[in-house]
Amino acid sequence: EAGVTQFPSHSVIEKGQTVTLRCDPISGHDNLYWYRRVMGKEIKFLLHFVKESKQDESGMPNNRFLAERTGGTYSTLKVQPAELEDSGVYFCASSRERGLYGYTFGSGTRLTVV
Amino acid sequence: AQSVTQLDSQVPVFEEAPVELRCNYSSSVSVYLFWYVQYPNQGLQLLLKYLSGSTLVKGINGFEAEFNKSQTSFHLRKPSVHISDTAEYFCAVSDMNRDDKIIFGKGTRLHILP
């Protein structure tokens, strides 16, 4: 089966611009997660979708971040406007069952805000 | 709240030597434990996981980890490393009685010396 696909793989934008990251989960996986790793720190949870519904968005840093999963398939994560501290690697993951048994991660999107 | 401590940020090891990457977690409540690996320019890959049963867990690429509940540890070991094991390794935990978040440690970079 195809894995979790994320694009772009890299994005460099200026402060104040908007960026949209996309994640295509494994087909049939209802659970989709976004995580982020800021330079030198832990990988941290952002949010969790079950199908098209947000199950938990407690990790979203502020209202400049908007995640959607229309139709319960792919998901987008929009950052508007981007700030310097948003730089990092954004990972998407999916799972068929409850994610606490472990996820399948994508390769990540490296976002650099200059 | 759960936390994961990886005591070593970097571990240099000679090729064919054994290695142990240390991991401790914060709570003795029922948890699931994971080791993920990120090879250069790739995404996160599940190396192994402990859900229940035998405390010695075997994973891919010859790695194994031992769950020690009394010491709240889940150290990763390999008896003989290869240059291809060069990667960053992340210990992670989820609370089986709570949500689907996985809490990650800061990661340990394994450097294999020729």
Side-chain angles (χ1 to χ4, degrees), chain A residues 39-103:
Chain A
M39 183 70 71
K41 297 197 173 181
E42 298 93 333
I43 301 167
K44 288 196 172 180
F45 170 85
L46 295 178
L47 87 160
H48 169 205
F49 283 99
V50 178
K51 297 185 179 178
E52 67 275 8
S53 300
K54 292 176 185 174
Q55 181 76 16
D56 181 354
E57 52 183 330
S58 60
M60 294 288 265
N62 51 61
N63 59 11
R64 295 186 293 103
F65 288 76
L66 174 64
E68 295 180 322
R69 192 182 181 195
T70 307
T73 55
Y74 70 91
S75 174
T76 58
L77 180 64
K78 180 189 289 187
V79 185
Q80 180 183 29
E83 299 289 344
L84 298 179
E85 63 265 25
D86 300 332
S87 295
V89 181
Y90 290 76
F91 291 102
C92 176
S94 71
S95 67
R96 188 183 303 278
E97 300 174 342
R98 286 193 66 191
L100 52 79
Y101 303 133
Y103 315 141

Side-chain angles (χ1 to χ4, degrees), chain A residues 100-102, chain B residues 31-34 49-54 57 94 96:
Chain A
L100 52 79
Y101 303 133
Chain B
V31 294
Y32 297 134
L33 294 155
F34 310 88
K49 62 184 175 184
Y50 171 78
L51 303 182
S52 65
S54 173
V57 181
S94 65
M96 66 171 70

Side-chain angles (χ1 to χ4, degrees), chain A residues 31 33 35 37 40-45 48 56 58 91 97-103 105-108, chain B residues 32 34 36 38 42-44 46 49 51 88 90 94-96 98-102 104-107 109:
Chain A
N31 295 278
Y33 309 83
Y35 281 73
R37 188 185 193 195
K41 297 197 173 181
E42 298 93 333
I43 301 167
K44 288 196 172 180
F45 170 85
H48 169 205
D56 181 354
S58 60
F91 291 102
E97 300 174 342
R98 286 193 66 191
L100 52 79
Y101 303 133
Y103 315 141
F105 278 89
S107 297
Chain B
Y32 297 134
F34 310 88
Y36 282 87
Q38 185 177 22
Q42 295 187 30
L44 290 166
L46 182 64
K49 62 184 175 184
L51 303 182
E88 190 162 17
F90 296 91
S94 65
D95 184 338
M96 66 171 70
R98 294 191 61 182
D99 50 42
D100 284 13
K101 293 175 191 172
I102 290 181
F104 285 86
K106 287 189 175 182
R109 288 190 179 276

